[in-house]
């Protein structure tokens, strides 16, 4: 049984002030997924180093993997690590792709400062109704809520969408009126996972639908927008994986220039999971390939953690523009 704890007791913050600052200063807050200690340490370390605000994300399955008894302590540990390094960066703990009111309540009662309710694969009315219920409970606890309109292709936790359905800008205002959500994930051509596009040699990924993003911004000025599925699937890490015994064929992600452009708009939160997985896997494969006798986890998880820090520093400073803000 998880003890009841409010996020403020863990030194965490909700996303409201983070998004206000990101909107005003035209950058995006990184939301990095984690499943274990080394990922968490790297994410906090990279964000402290770059003085970037941070949203720590946990999917429903990651929460199960970590264990609900550990999770609040890991988040408190993240805050303590930043404090010990003399950093004042704000840290939020966010439920990624929550699929029910029960799960949202459990998270809110166990230290999450922000939750996503993802009912985007249901009808508009069902999506709005469920999102509204989550908002009512969350706002009573000063927790912020992200919902989604439109469906991304790829895998969203246990929900698999074959094809994407772009967000319809004309639905956004009514959805906000009905629900009162604090931020909205939209579908403009990003997708989950490491295989976002199947490209022929020399082909470029199709550009994101900035026309849809601009239309949403025009209709609802000031609404913080969220981009899921925003990994770039860095060629360097895919090449390392393939060089050291892996087999990842025809991978492609969202080009960094596209993300830079999005981060300077009303996009205030950019979700990155796959790129972190690739960085760690590439490094671990390299260590094992170069030293097959190695069996001390610190000797492969340590370098993987370093590689992840480097990647996060790069993303915060060069792509999202979140570095140097605190
Ligand atoms: O969008 C989903 C995230 O990448 C989390 O995935 O359910 O494998 O933890 P997961
Ligand atoms: P990627 O698979 O592109 O990293 O997307 C992660 C995500 O959207 C988490 O919610
Ligand atoms: Zn997502």
């Amino acid at each position: 049984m998880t003890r009841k704890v409010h996020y403020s007791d863990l030194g965490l913050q909700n996303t409201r002030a983070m998004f206000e600052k990101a909107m005003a200063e035209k950058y995006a807050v990184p939301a990095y997924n984690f499943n274990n200690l080394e990922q968490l340490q790297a994410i906090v370390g990279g964000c402290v180093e770059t003085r970037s605000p941070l949203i720590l994300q946990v999917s429903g399955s990651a929460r199960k993997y970590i264990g609900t008894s550990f999770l609040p302590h890991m988040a408190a540990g993240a805050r303590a690590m930043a404090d010990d390094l003399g950093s004042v960066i704000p840290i939020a703990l966010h439920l990624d792709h929550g699929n029910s009111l029960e799960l949202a309540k459990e998270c809110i009662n166990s230290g999450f400062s922000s939750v996503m309710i993802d009912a985007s694969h249901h009808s508009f009315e069902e999506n709005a109704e469920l999102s509204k219920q989550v908002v009512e409970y969350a706002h009573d606890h000063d927790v912020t809520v992200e919902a989604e309109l439109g469906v991304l292709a790829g895998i969203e936790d246990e929900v698999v969408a074959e094809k994407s359905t772009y967000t319809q800008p004309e639905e956004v205002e009514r959805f906000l009126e009905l629900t009162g959500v604090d931020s909205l994930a939209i579908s403009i051509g990003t997708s989950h996972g490491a295989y976002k596009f199947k490209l022929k040699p020399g082909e470029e990924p199709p550009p994101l639908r900035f026309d849809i993003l601009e239309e949403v911004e025009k209709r609802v000025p000031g609404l913080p927008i969220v981009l899921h599925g925003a990994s770039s699937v860095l060629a360097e890490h895919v090449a390392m994986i393939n060089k050291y015994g892996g087999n990842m064929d025809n991978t492609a992600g969202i080009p960094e220039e596209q993300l830079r452009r999005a981060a300077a708009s009303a996009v205030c939160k950019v979700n990155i999971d796959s790129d972190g997985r690739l960085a760690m896997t590439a490094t671990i494969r390299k260590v094992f390939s170069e030293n097959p006798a190695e069996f001390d986890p610190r000797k492969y998880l340590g370098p993987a953690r370093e590689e992840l820090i480097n990647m996060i520093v790069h993303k915060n400073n060069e792509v999202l523009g979140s570095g140097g803000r605190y």
Side-chain angles (χ1 to χ4, degrees):
M1 240 258 301
T2 311
R3 284 170 210 87
K4 201 166 171 177
V5 54
H6 188 258
Y7 68 85
S8 55
D9 296 325
L10 304 175
L12 304 175
Q13 298 183 19
N14 68 29
T15 55
R16 198 166 291 126
M18 284 189 197
F19 288 165
E20 273 169 21
K21 187 168 158 67
M23 184 76 81
E25 297 181 16
K26 298 190 183 307
Y27 63 89
V29 181
Y32 294 113
N33 292 70
F34 76 96
N35 311 280
N36 66 23
L37 178 65
E38 282 77 7
Q39 281 176 312
L40 180 61
Q41 290 171 322
I43 294 166
V44 178
C47 287
V48 165
E49 187 177 327
T50 52
R51 298 194 287 120
S52 165
L54 166 61
I55 298 173
L56 289 168
Q57 286 196 150
V58 182
S59 67
S61 58
R63 181 172 172 263
K64 275 194 207 138
Y65 178 85
I66 293 168
T68 51
S69 353
F70 269 117
L71 200 40
H73 300 283
M74 287 183 87
R79 180 69 263 164
M81 177 181 165
D83 290 347
D84 289 350
L85 291 166
S87 173
V88 295
I89 61 163
I91 302 178
L93 178 64
H94 175 79
L95 169 66
D96 191 23
H97 294 287
N99 58 6
S100 69
L101 178 61
E102 292 67 39
L103 177 59
K105 284 182 176 175
E106 276 179 32
C107 289
I108 290 164
N109 290 327
S110 62
F112 283 68
S113 60
S114 173
V115 291
M116 177 189 191
I117 177 69
D118 180 3
S120 56
H121 42 284
H122 296 306
S123 70
F124 178 92
E125 274 70 29
E126 285 167 322
N127 184 359
E129 180 53 31
L130 185 51
S131 300
K132 177 176 165 239
Q133 289 171 12
V134 171
V135 167
E136 277 168 6
Y137 191 83
H139 284 183
D140 274 351
H141 296 75
D142 203 22
V143 165
T144 39
V145 179
E146 170 187 326
E148 181 166 330
L149 262 185
V151 180
L152 272 67
I155 302 164
E156 295 193 341
D157 212 348
E158 277 135 31
V159 180
V160 180
E162 287 293 322
K163 286 199 194 119
S164 68
T165 314
Y166 294 123
T167 303
Q168 293 175 256
E170 58 278 14
E171 287 188 345
V172 173
E173 284 150 289
R174 185 150 166 265
F175 188 79
L176 293 176
E177 276 162 27
L178 290 172
T179 62
V181 294
D182 303 282
S183 61
L184 188 69
I186 63 170
S187 174
I188 58 165
T190 61
S191 59
H192 289 102
Y195 300 90
K196 299 188 195 299
F197 310 104
K198 283 201 170 62
L199 302 175
K200 300 201 179 78
E203 236 178 21
E204 291 290 315
L208 297 180
R209 292 288 305 269
F210 283 99
D211 56 322
I212 299 177
L213 172 59
E214 280 158 20
E215 183 62 25
V216 173
E217 281 184 284
K218 207 164 79 188
R219 285 172 178 261
V220 202
L223 168 70
I225 293 171
V226 179
L227 275 195
H228 282 249
S231 279
S232 295
V233 189
L234 300 169
E236 171 199 349
H237 290 143
V238 175
M240 251 169 101
I241 288 173
N242 289 334
K243 177 173 175 190
Y244 294 109
N247 183 8
M248 296 191 72
D249 202 18
N250 208 346
T251 58
I254 312 297
E256 291 186 342
E257 319 79 74
Q258 302 257 318
L259 295 170
R260 257 181 225 115
R261 181 173 164 194
S265 73
V267 168
C268 289
K269 174 173 178 271
V270 168
N271 286 11
I272 298 166
D273 187 357
S274 300
D275 279 349
R277 297 178 182 196
L278 293 169
M280 290 197 97
T281 302
T283 312
I284 291 168
R285 279 196 177 279
K286 181 169 189 281
V287 172
F288 282 141
S289 169
E290 289 177 348
N291 191 354
E294 190 53 69
F295 67 97
D296 178 345
R298 293 170 297 185
K299 297 285 167 47
Y300 50 90
L301 292 175
R305 185 171 65 185
E306 282 307 306
E307 186 65 17
L308 187 51
I309 292 176
N310 294 337
M311 190 201 82
I312 284 167
V313 167
H314 165 74
K315 288 204 182 270
N316 293 354
N317 285 340
E318 315 294 338
V319 184
L320 307 180
S322 64
R325 305 288 174 172
Y326 287 86

